[in-house]
Amino acid sequence: AELEKCRETASFLFNTFRRISLNHHLLTDTLQAEPERIETAAVVQQLRVALAARGRETPVTGGEGLPSYLKLAAAPLTAILGTLTDLAFDVFGRADRLEIAAAPSMEGEAARLRVTFDNISETPWEGLNDAKEVAAIAFRAGVRTHSVVDLLYVEKMISLQGGTLSFYREQDHVFGFEVVLPVERAD
């Protein structure tokens, strides 16, 4: 029984450190990615393909209110949103819709891209209504270590891009994530 417990602990540590290593490489790649001029519709399509490759049948909608062309690094955006979709599935069992839109800008501020993970089932994510920060997910019962690692890294990737990660709320209920990232117009 002791040997079995040691094996389980070793497996847990191996998988946790492997996840940290993978996320570290993803973070490094995100920092090195060069922005490119890309059609907004192509960004939406790349996200659809990336999510399908992860086995997620999450519909990607939107692009309305955004310029036809953006200057951004598409690979980090895809990695960030793919990780958040996986996190929504791991922690809440679903990510019903991913919507891309223009975020309201302050006067003189660069354009911002807002991505929301919305539940079309209209069922809020339980136990988070009073949570101020997304990190509160880490304290939910049953959340696996790799989900906590993914959350910490994706928060860092978003902040290093100059963006924010918060809960998507409607009427004081949490229905998903909201990511806001700065982008440049490339029309």
Side-chain angles (χ1 to χ4, degrees), residues 101-122:
S105 294
M106 306 290 271
E107 181 107 7
E109 189 177 82
R112 297 185 304 162
L113 179 71
R114 183 177 81 191
V115 181
T116 55
F117 294 77
D118 190 5
N119 295 321
I120 54 179
S121 63
E122 299 182 6

Side-chain angles (χ1 to χ4, degrees), residues 12 14 23 26 56 66 69 80 90-92 102 113-114 117 127 141 149 159 165 167 172-173 180:
F12 167 79
F14 172 79
N23 274 311
L26 185 59
R56 305 297 185 202
L66 289 168
Y69 288 87
I80 288 168
D90 288 347
V91 177
F92 302 102
L113 179 71
R114 183 177 81 191
F117 294 77
V149 169
S159 80
L165 172 63
F167 286 122
D172 296 328
H173 293 287
V180 177

Side-chain angles (χ1 to χ4, degrees), residues 12-58:
F12 167 79
L13 290 172
F14 172 79
N15 289 330
T16 301
F17 287 126
R18 186 177 61 77
R19 192 75 170 208
I20 289 170
S21 177
L22 291 171
N23 274 311
H24 187 74
H25 288 295
L26 185 59
L27 175 63
T28 304
D29 293 346
T30 298
L31 293 173
Q32 295 173 349
E34 291 293 324
E36 57 186 292
R37 182 177 186 266
I38 187 166
E39 191 175 3
T40 302
V43 172
V44 172
Q45 184 57 31
Q46 282 182 11
L47 287 170
R48 285 184 185 126
V49 170
L51 293 178
R54 289 172 176 251
R56 305 297 185 202
E57 296 302 320
T58 302

